[in-house]
Amino acid sequence: MSGLISTALRRNSLSFRLLSYILLCSTVLALLITLVQLMWDYRKDVAVIESSINQIEASFLQPIAASLWNLDEEQVKVQLEGIMNLPNMEFVMVKEILGNAEVPLISQGTKRPTYDISQEFALTYQGEQVGKLFVAASLDQIYNRLIEKSILILVSQTIKTLVVSFCIILIIYYTVVRHINRIALYAERLGIDNLTEVLELEGRQDLQQRDELDSLAMALNRMRRRFGEELQARQQMLEQLQQERDFSATLVNSSNVLICCLEPNLSLASINPAAILLTGYAQHEMQGKNWLDLFVSPAQRASIAEQLDHLGFIDELEIHMIDQQHHELTLLWTFVPFYDGPELKYLIGFGYDITKLKRIEREITQLNEQLEAKVIERTHSLSESNEQLTLAYQNLKQAQQTLVESEKMASLGSLVAGVAHEINTPIGISVTASSYLQERVLDFKQHIESKQLSRSYLNDFVSNLDESMSLLQGNLRRASELIASFKQVAVDQSSEASYNFNVADNLHQVVVSLGYKLRKAQCDVDIHCDPSLVINSYPGSFAQIYSNLILNSVNHAFDAEWDRPKKITIVIEHNGDGLLIDYRDNGRGISPEIMPRLFEPFVTSRRGQGGSGLGTHIIYNLVVQLLRGRISCHSEPQQGAQFLIKLPVQRIAA
């Protein structure tokens, strides 16, 4: 045991440092605990003394004052003895007041110049002060008691700290340090020759749970295995590298590419068989010859030598060569410098014989020149065709514009016919009423001339007159409203002025102007729009959009063969993003063949039956180009159609 302790407590060992840190921390902690406990006891004892002094005030002042009033000194002494029996009381004295002077009367205890705790009380009897009571307490006993207690605590804490520290250091040694020493010794012995040795810690095979030391041992074992595997892999790599070197040498010797290893002065150090074969010299004849003399024509030697001297690395340098048969060859050379430190050791040259390629290149150049002539000729022909296509496109755009204008005029004519039919009824009733009034007025004149007026006749005449005037006034007002609505729609559709208008009123005017066609088609229109919604935009464009949508539903969705209920729903609302128009009908819908091309010009399902195919195209142009909005359509066969229009307009505050 002593040997283990001496080993663990070697000055430079981990156990010694741990023991030093534990002792230091334990000592500091013991001192702090002792100071806190002594401070607590001190405050507690002082509180006891202060409580005793408060008890004196509550229990002794009145009896002492009564005894002093009765001049009973014996009783005063007895009471002072009772005060001195209280804990830590050192001195007590009673003073008698004679006139303005205080005369000491009786005292007990030890009198000192100063006291640790002292207090003086006034002795009052029946409202008159008869004397004073002075009490003083000493803290010497408390200090002595605290010193004894601190010594006892420090001794016990020191013994306990030493015992615990030695126990801890033994535990640390057995659980940690000895295993670390074993790991360190294993790491020192580990080498290439003993990579199969496994690190095992003593007495840790039966543990249920692994700790950090086991993890460290396993990590070292894994490192040992990886080291062995990497060593084996490196040996395999060396063998593979040797094979690759042999393979590279085979490739160099069998390659058709010219490979030359040049000294810094461009003399040949080595050369592959392909280069030897191209020059026609023998192997021993080429040793030490200058590369420029063998592979560069005399006209290029000076410039090539200068480039190799300054540039070092050269990529795809085209060089002409004259072989022994005086044939001119073209080679494409690439030079890569090989350095040994900062000094250039070799210059590796790779040459490619591109003589055949250059001949093919010249042939291709001739073909390109011929092709360019053909391209110029074809370009001229295409330019003429393009001009013809441009002229045809302009004619088509003009025809499209003419058809769009015709569609607008046809739409306006339909509005005129509808409004004329609407106005015909109230005007006809008004004419009938005025004719009836004229007849009644002539009859009234005849009764006046014949002097045959009676009260019953006048009453009947007034009644008929009032009824006819009411009928005449109501129908004329109806005709006036229709004319005003028609004028507003006509003016808005004929101009593209931007101003503030009420969205609901604009929509109602269009519906009223199309009332004849809607009633003829037996179609109901359901409108949901805020009556106070006012925006600044183009009311004529809005009216034309509503008109085209409604006429599309009447003419296409609700044709003569549609026998189900006919209903159009228009919902207009304004949110933070702008104005949203949701238009939908419950008609026969749009066929899948037309749906992808719905907004293109001249697309219609009633070709040859009066349909121009420009209604939705006009709507699209108004929404996208003029109003800068978006429009989309959703439809299923026999399930109606829905148009969603989103316009970036702001609401005008009322």
Side-chain angles (χ1 to χ4, degrees), residues 420-431:
H421 184 274
E422 289 291 329
I423 294 176
N424 185 54
T425 300
I427 293 298
I429 295 173
S430 299
V431 171

Side-chain angles (χ1 to χ4, degrees), residues 21 40 48 59 106 110 136 153 208 217 238 417 500 502 522 540 569 574:
Y21 296 150
W40 175 264
V48 170
S59 303
I106 301 172
T110 303
I153 292 174
Q208 297 294 330
L238 290 175
N500 297 345
N502 187 285
Q522 297 180 354
T569 303
H574 190 279

Side-chain angles (χ1 to χ4, degrees), residues 86-116:
L86 294 175
N88 300 307
M89 296 305 299
E90 185 177 14
F91 180 73
V92 60
M93 180 176 65
V94 174
K95 298 179 182 178
E96 184 179 8
I97 296 177
L98 298 177
N100 294 327
E102 297 178 0
V103 179
L105 182 61
I106 301 172
S107 64
Q108 291 189 8
T110 303
K111 187 175 182 180
R112 294 182 181 178
T114 58
Y115 299 95
D116 296 326

Side-chain angles (χ1 to χ4, degrees), residues 47 55 127 131 159 192 194 231 281 366-367 379 396-397 462 465 471 482 485-486 501 597 652:
Q55 184 180 357
I159 295 173
I192 298 177
N194 57 349
L231 182 62
Y281 290 101
Q366 294 176 358
L367 291 175
T379 302
L396 181 62
K397 289 291 289 183
V462 171
L465 183 63
L471 184 63
L482 289 172
S485 176
F486 171 68
F501 66 96
R597 302 181 295 112
I652 304 300

Side-chain angles (χ1 to χ4, degrees), residues 25 46 61 97 160 214 236 241 270 330 512 543 575 579 642:
C25 295
V46 171
L61 291 184
I97 296 177
K160 181 172 66 175
D214 296 300
Q236 294 177 354
L241 181 61
S270 64
T330 303
V512 169
N575 51 29
L579 190 69
Q642 180 187 17

Side-chain angles (χ1 to χ4, degrees), residues 220-271:
L220 287 174
N221 286 324
R222 288 195 297 269
M223 182 185 70
R224 173 186 54 79
R225 288 194 298 270
R226 286 199 302 270
F227 183 73
E229 293 171 356
E230 290 178 0
L231 182 62
Q232 185 178 2
R234 180 163 295 186
Q235 292 176 351
Q236 294 177 354
M237 289 177 61
L238 290 175
E239 296 175 357
Q240 185 178 1
L241 181 61
Q242 184 61 40
Q243 294 177 359
E244 290 179 354
R245 287 179 178 174
D246 297 339
F247 180 72
S248 299
T250 303
L251 287 179
V252 169
N253 293 328
S254 61
S255 175
N256 293 327
V257 178
L258 283 67
I259 303 176
C260 301
C261 182
L262 309 180
E263 299 287 350
N265 60 357
L266 301 184
S267 62
L268 291 174
S270 64
I271 189 170

Side-chain angles (χ1 to χ4, degrees), residues 14 17 80 114 134 143 175 181 197 210 238 281 317 325 328 338-339 354 392 395 414 457 471-472 503 506 597 624:
L14 178 62
R17 292 199 300 273
L80 294 183
T114 58
F134 177 78
Y143 292 149
T175 58
N181 291 333
E197 181 181 354
R210 298 288 183 179
L238 290 175
Y281 290 101
L317 179 63
Q325 285 76 27
E328 183 177 352
F338 180 79
Y339 291 94
I354 60 172
N395 294 334
S414 177
Y457 177 81
L471 184 63
L472 182 61
V503 178
N506 179 268
R597 302 181 295 112
V624 176

Side-chain angles (χ1 to χ4, degrees), residues 325-493:
Q325 285 76 27
H326 302 286
H327 295 155
E328 183 177 352
L329 304 177
T330 303
L331 279 71
L332 193 66
W333 285 91
T334 297
F335 294 93
V336 179
F338 180 79
Y339 291 94
D340 184 9
E343 299 294 332
L344 177 64
K345 187 173 184 180
Y346 294 110
L347 190 64
I348 311 298
F350 301 90
Y352 305 88
D353 187 1
I354 60 172
T355 305
K356 294 181 179 180
L357 294 177
K358 294 297 289 185
R359 184 173 61 252
I360 295 173
E361 181 182 359
R362 286 192 295 270
E363 294 176 356
I364 292 175
T365 302
Q366 294 176 358
L367 291 175
N368 285 337
E369 292 175 354
Q370 297 174 3
L371 182 61
E372 287 180 1
K374 293 181 179 180
V375 167
I376 293 173
E377 182 180 356
R378 295 287 179 86
T379 302
H380 180 69
S381 177
L382 288 175
S383 298
E384 294 179 353
S385 300
N386 191 24
E387 291 177 358
Q388 295 176 1
L389 288 175
T390 303
L391 181 60
Y393 176 74
Q394 292 176 354
N395 294 334
L396 181 62
K397 289 291 289 183
Q398 185 176 1
Q400 179 183 352
Q401 184 66 28
T402 303
L403 289 174
V404 170
E405 294 296 332
S406 300
E407 178 68 16
K408 291 182 179 180
M409 295 304 297
S411 176
L412 185 59
S414 177
L415 290 176
V416 171
V419 172
H421 184 274
E422 289 291 329
I423 294 176
N424 185 54
T425 300
I427 293 298
I429 295 173
S430 299
V431 171
T432 303
S434 62
S435 299
Y436 176 74
L437 284 176
Q438 187 176 13
E439 292 176 359
R440 296 300 297 169
V441 169
L442 290 175
D443 184 66
F444 181 72
K445 288 181 178 181
Q446 292 175 2
H447 278 76
I448 291 176
E449 292 175 356
S450 60
K451 298 181 180 181
Q452 294 179 357
L453 291 176
S454 63
R455 181 177 294 277
S456 60
Y457 177 81
L458 287 175
N459 290 334
D460 183 56
F461 176 77
V462 171
S463 176
N464 291 333
L465 183 63
D466 183 60
E467 182 179 355
S468 298
M469 291 299 294
S470 298
L471 184 63
L472 182 61
Q473 186 177 10
N475 281 277
L476 289 176
R477 184 182 301 109
R478 173 63 177 165
S480 176
E481 292 175 355
L482 289 172
I483 292 172
S485 176
F486 171 68
K487 288 175 61 179
Q488 181 64 37
V489 172
V491 170
D492 289 341
Q493 288 185 343

